[in-house]
Amino acid sequence: MEKRKRKSFIKSAIARVMSLVMTAVMVLGGMPSIPARAEDGAYPYMIFAASDEEGAITFLVNNAGINGSVATNGTIVVTGGNCNINGTRTERAGESGEPLLMPDLRERIINTYFAAETEAHAEDYALEEININVNTPIEGDGEISLTGNINLNAGIMAQEDIVLDGEVK
């Protein structure tokens, strides 16, 4: 009788431990799906255009997923396919009062992404190759144009347009 009680107690203890372990696995397994949130007062948009023009933000895509909010003082145009915005979509934001202003994030961006060794260009810069690997940040005072199979591992910043033509990864 004593053996049976002990065996029953051990089985019960093992079942409780396994239940606890399974609960922990399920909770920890769900952690990556918990959305990250920007801190209060931080810039609230994934994509923003201060322009009040028609098509201030234009997506020419087959498929795109934007995980954040998109806002403009103008309009948002999607051409060519499916564009899923997982956040708010705000057009003509300035019509109800003051237009949304572009925050000055230049210093923060430079210090975060362009403080190390940066490939700097004083004028327009164009590169056309089969395979382009951007491993060092590129900064330009004019337009930056890359054509080919582009692998972006570092930032690109230009005073004018940035044109990425080809397959971008």
Side-chain angles (χ1 to χ4, degrees):
M1 193 68 165
E2 180 83 21
K3 252 184 175 178
R4 191 182 304 166
K5 284 184 180 180
R6 184 177 291 157
K7 201 173 195 179
S8 177
F9 175 76
I10 291 173
K11 281 184 179 182
S12 176
I14 289 173
R16 288 180 183 158
V17 169
M18 290 304 293
S19 176
L20 181 63
V21 168
M22 293 303 291
T23 301
V25 166
M26 289 187 331
V27 169
L28 294 176
M31 291 292 282
S33 66
I34 296 173
R37 304 199 81 201
E39 60 188 65
D40 290 335
Y43 194 62
Y45 306 111
M46 176 66 73
I47 298 175
F48 172 74
S51 170
D52 61 358
E53 300 292 321
E54 296 292 321
I57 297 175
T58 302
F59 296 101
L60 303 170
V61 298
N62 288 330
N63 287 300
I66 311 297
N67 291 318
S69 296
V70 177
T72 180
N73 292 316
T75 63
I76 299 169
V77 175
V78 178
T79 304
N82 177 35
C83 184
N84 184 22
I85 298 173
N86 297 315
T88 60
R89 176 181 171 149
T90 306
E91 296 180 271
R92 305 227 181 267
E95 283 187 350
S96 61
E98 289 294 315
L100 294 175
L101 300 176
M102 179 70 77
D104 187 5
L105 301 173
R106 185 170 169 78
E107 290 302 316
R108 180 187 259 176
I109 291 170
I110 289 171
N111 293 336
T112 303
Y113 300 105
F114 297 90
E117 303 167 20
T118 300
E119 183 181 325
H121 300 277
E123 52 192 38
D124 289 351
Y125 174 72
L127 179 62
E128 184 172 341
E129 292 183 3
I130 293 173
N131 295 312
I132 300 171
N133 291 306
V134 178
N135 295 314
T136 303
I138 300 173
E139 181 179 0
D141 291 337
E143 177 181 283
I144 295 176
S145 177
L146 304 177
T147 303
N149 295 320
I150 305 165
N151 185 13
L152 288 175
N153 296 313
I156 299 175
M157 179 171 59
Q159 292 294 325
E160 295 181 17
D161 293 341
I162 297 173
V163 179
L164 304 176
D165 185 9
E167 186 175 331
V168 182
K169 296 181 181 178

